[in-house]
Amino acid sequence: MQQQHRPPELVGGSLPVFVFPNELVFYADDQSSHKQVLTLYNPYEFALKFKVLCTAPNKYTVVDATGAVKPQCCVDIVIRHRDVRACHYGVYDKFRLQVSEQSQRKALGRKEVTATLRPSASQDPPSPRPQDEERRIADSEFFEQTAFQTESRPVAGGPSLLTVLLGLVCMAALMLPTLGEQESTVPVYLHLSVNKKLVAAYVLGLLTMVILRT
């Protein structure tokens, strides 16, 4: 008997969203900090869909800005800062993680995470944000993932069909009898000279190097 799906328990009309950490700090002088990881937890008994939005999508690269989390599991979302410049020091941006049930489009809950770029980790912590900065962040517009710079994964390319065919021709040429061989059932016009076989071997070596580099 299939277990009946229970509706999610909303708190204040919204589903609580569990994300760690709640702040991302990038340091300009530390390249390892340019890559940060957000972990989204799903403690519920049903799967969740998630979507990552951002107030400044051109400054960041996100791997898998949309996806799903299985019940009582978690997923890591990789975020990279791709515009490390002094003009962005101290500027606060925001990421918003929206979650919903897999069978629904309406967002059940959301969680916002701040992100900032600092010159160095060795400097003193920044002073509290002024009220106008807090207001600017609160009024910021979040962009859909279609405007997001999703990190592309390189696709390994194989050798071209012409390269493969040329390699097969060279191998066939090397297998043919050499000109002057008497005991052979292959017609004489298919016998190749030593020079032609050397050319075929040279071309085959070059093709092998090309294939190994692709």
Side-chain angles (χ1 to χ4, degrees), residues 167 170 174 198-212:
C170 292
L174 293 174
L198 288 176
V199 172
Y202 177 74
V203 173
L204 184 60
L206 292 179
L207 293 175
T208 302
M209 294 177 60
V210 171
I211 293 174
L212 291 177

Side-chain angles (χ1 to χ4, degrees), residues 19-25 37-39 93-95 111-115 129:
V19 179
F20 181 84
N22 57 11
E23 182 181 12
L24 299 177
V25 181
V37 177
L38 278 178
T39 302
D93 302 313
K94 263 192 176 183
F95 290 94
K111 181 74 172 182
E112 295 180 355
V113 176
T114 60
R129 288 173 291 191

Side-chain angles (χ1 to χ4, degrees), residues 130-148:
Q131 291 185 356
D132 57 345
E133 179 70 9
E134 293 282 0
R135 192 177 302 109
R136 184 194 67 82
I137 296 176
D139 296 337
S140 296
E141 180 182 359
F142 286 87
F143 293 89
E144 295 286 339
Q145 80 280 359
T146 52
F148 234 74

Side-chain angles (χ1 to χ4, degrees), residues 1 12 17-18 35 38-39 42 61 64 73 79 85 92 101 131 142 153-154 158 172-173 181 190 199 205 209:
M1 182 176 179
V17 179
F18 301 93
K35 172 185 173 182
L38 278 178
T39 302
N42 179 12
T61 295
D64 300 327
C73 293
I79 299 177
R85 291 184 293 166
Y92 286 87
E101 285 192 274
Q131 291 185 356
F142 286 87
R153 297 180 175 89
E181 289 186 11
L190 290 179
V199 172
M209 294 177 60

Side-chain angles (χ1 to χ4, degrees), residues 52-62 80 82-83 93-95 141-150:
V52 182
L53 311 176
C54 184
T55 56
N58 292 331
K59 292 166 61 176
Y60 303 94
T61 295
V62 175
R80 299 177 188 271
R82 57 191 298 268
D83 193 7
D93 302 313
K94 263 192 176 183
F95 290 94
E141 180 182 359
F142 286 87
F143 293 89
E144 295 286 339
Q145 80 280 359
T146 52
F148 234 74
Q149 299 293 331
T150 304

Side-chain angles (χ1 to χ4, degrees), residues 2 5 14 25 30 39 50 52 62 65 72 79 89 101 115 124 135 146 152 158 166 180 189 193 210:
Q2 187 175 6
H5 173 66
S14 178
V25 181
D30 184 3
T39 302
F50 71 87
V52 182
V62 175
Q72 299 179 354
I79 299 177
Y89 291 170
E101 285 192 274
D124 295 334
R135 192 177 302 109
T146 52
S152 58
L166 189 56
Y189 63 84
S193 65
V210 171

Side-chain angles (χ1 to χ4, degrees), residues 148-168:
F148 234 74
Q149 299 293 331
T150 304
E151 184 176 82
S152 58
R153 297 180 175 89
V155 179
S160 65
L161 180 60
L162 179 61
T163 302
V164 175
L165 291 177
L166 189 56
L168 292 175

